[in-house]
Amino acid sequence: IAAAVLILMWPVTFGGKLLLPADMLMVMQPWQAHAKEMGFDRVQTPFLDAIQQHYPWRKFAAEQLREGNIPLWNPYMFCGTPFVANNQSAVFYPETWLFMLMAPERAFGWSALLSLIMGGTFMFFFLRVLGLRRLASVIGTLPFLFCGFLVGWMLLPTVRAVPMWLPLMLLAFEH
């Protein structure tokens, strides 16, 4: 399971690519003015939230936590806005802490990798509790991890994180 996830996530972990639609910036000012000279043609992945919301929030949370501060308030939005109280900021979610250890643009790929491995592990054990053999559990886990919903929403950490906990909840229910 981990090998299959690593193959999928290789470009954004070890391959030098980013799990961020940074090309979206090229359709907005001030970057739009330089789009042609940078060879920008068109947007490949039109997910604004990942680059306009999740990236700056994860970066801000990581900086604040690294300094020993709990980021209660975000002074960079509007005239200031609550930060911890915003559930999408995910300050206390363990995946967000990875952003303190590495550059945020790199952490998006690694956090997705760890999230998928965690969800796959939970699904494997859930299927084992249901009585499936080891190979059947592995084969049953792969469609869960690589379904269209998870792959399609991989860019948004809060959307991706929720279904990763479902197998653990089902496992707990079975017990």
Side-chain angles (χ1 to χ4, degrees):
I1 293 168
V5 170
L6 186 56
I7 289 168
L8 174 72
M9 302 306 292
W10 186 271
V12 296
T13 52
F14 295 106
K17 302 281 185 184
L18 298 179
L19 189 62
L20 279 171
D23 60 340
M24 284 298 297
L25 295 175
M26 293 299 188
V27 297
M28 295 176 259
Q29 292 296 343
W31 302 279
Q32 187 179 34
H34 303 285
K36 292 284 188 227
E37 68 188 62
M38 296 179 80
F40 175 74
D41 182 32
R42 64 183 172 87
V43 171
Q44 302 294 321
T45 309
F47 278 89
L48 278 175
D49 289 357
I51 195 69
Q52 286 186 322
Q53 178 180 328
H54 293 288
Y55 175 77
W57 285 357
R58 294 297 188 278
K59 184 175 171 62
F60 174 70
E63 289 169 353
Q64 292 297 304
L65 292 170
R66 231 181 276 119
E67 293 174 9
N69 302 323
I70 296 175
L72 301 173
W73 190 256
N74 181 354
Y76 302 110
M77 285 183 64
F78 307 116
C79 291
T81 183
F83 191 69
V84 168
N86 173 353
N87 64 350
Q88 295 250 1
S89 67
V91 174
F92 300 118
Y93 189 63
E95 188 180 299
T96 304
W97 303 338
L98 185 62
F99 288 75
M100 291 189 315
L101 304 176
M102 60 179 56
E105 54 276 3
R106 288 274 146 235
F108 275 95
W110 284 97
S111 65
L113 173 81
L114 295 174
S115 181
L116 285 170
I117 290 173
M118 177 191 73
T121 302
F122 294 155
M123 180 57 82
F124 174 81
F125 286 117
F126 170 63
L127 294 175
R128 291 289 288 159
V129 164
L130 291 181
L132 275 70
R133 293 189 177 141
R134 199 168 291 179
L135 181 59
S137 296
V138 169
I139 292 170
T141 298
L142 295 177
F144 167 71
L145 290 176
F146 302 127
C147 73
F149 177 81
L150 287 179
V151 172
W153 291 100
M154 191 63 55
L155 294 171
L156 302 178
T158 51
V159 176
R160 175 190 70 234
V162 173
M164 293 299 113
W165 293 100
L166 176 63
L168 183 64
M169 290 184 271
L170 295 171
L171 179 65
F173 180 78
E174 286 297 320
H175 279 292

